[in-house]
C-alpha cells in the first residue's frame, strides 16, 4: 500500500504512521471466532526537490524491508536524497 501525506513533514508523517501502527497492534480482531493479531511495518520517505518519484518509492520500499527484517511491527523513516 502507498499512503501520501501531502504538506506533511517527515517527522509528522512518521508520528501519524506510528499512531496507526500502535492502534492496529492494540486492537482485538477475530476471524471465525478465533483471536487474530495484526501488525504492520512501514517505510516512509520524504520528497526532496529534484528527486524522481521512482527513487522516492524505491527508498520507502527499502525502508519497509529494513523494518520487516528488523523485527516487524515498526515504521522507519528517512529523507530521500
Amino acid at each position: 500500500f502507498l499512503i501520501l501525506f501531502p504538506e506533511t513533514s517527515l517527522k509528522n508523517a512518521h508520528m501519524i504512521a506510528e499512531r496507526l501502527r500502535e492502534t492496529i497492534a492494540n486492537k482485538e480482531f477475530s476471524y471465525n471466532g478465533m483471536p487474530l493479531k495484526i501488525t504492520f511495518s512501514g517505510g516512509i520517505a520524504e520528497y526532496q526537490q529534484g528527486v524522481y518519484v521512482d527513487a522516492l518509492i524505491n527508498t520507502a520500499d527499502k525502508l519497509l524491508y529494513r523494518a520487516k527484517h528488523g523485527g516487524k511491527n515498526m515504521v522507519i523513516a528517512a529523507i530521500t536524497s
Side-chain angles (χ1 to χ4, degrees):
F1 294 98
L2 175 68
I3 301 173
L4 300 176
F5 295 102
E7 311 275 332
T8 306
S9 70
L10 181 69
K11 180 181 177 181
N12 286 339
H14 189 244
M15 285 177 18
I16 293 165
E18 274 294 326
R19 259 193 317 235
L20 180 60
R21 184 196 60 74
E22 287 177 10
T23 299
I24 290 172
N26 292 323
K27 182 140 177 70
E28 293 183 20
F29 295 94
S30 66
Y31 178 73
N32 287 337
M34 300 293 294
L36 179 65
K37 179 90 171 148
I38 297 176
T39 62
F40 79 87
S41 298
I44 301 175
E46 181 177 44
Y47 174 77
Q48 298 293 308
Q49 187 76 21
V51 173
Y52 290 105
V53 172
D54 292 358
L56 184 66
I57 293 171
N58 187 40
T59 298
D61 192 51
K62 286 180 183 178
L63 293 169
L64 164 64
Y65 279 94
R66 207 163 93 194
K68 286 182 175 186
H69 294 297
K72 301 181 182 174
N73 194 28
M74 65 177 71
V75 177
I76 298 176
I79 295 176
T80 304
S81 53

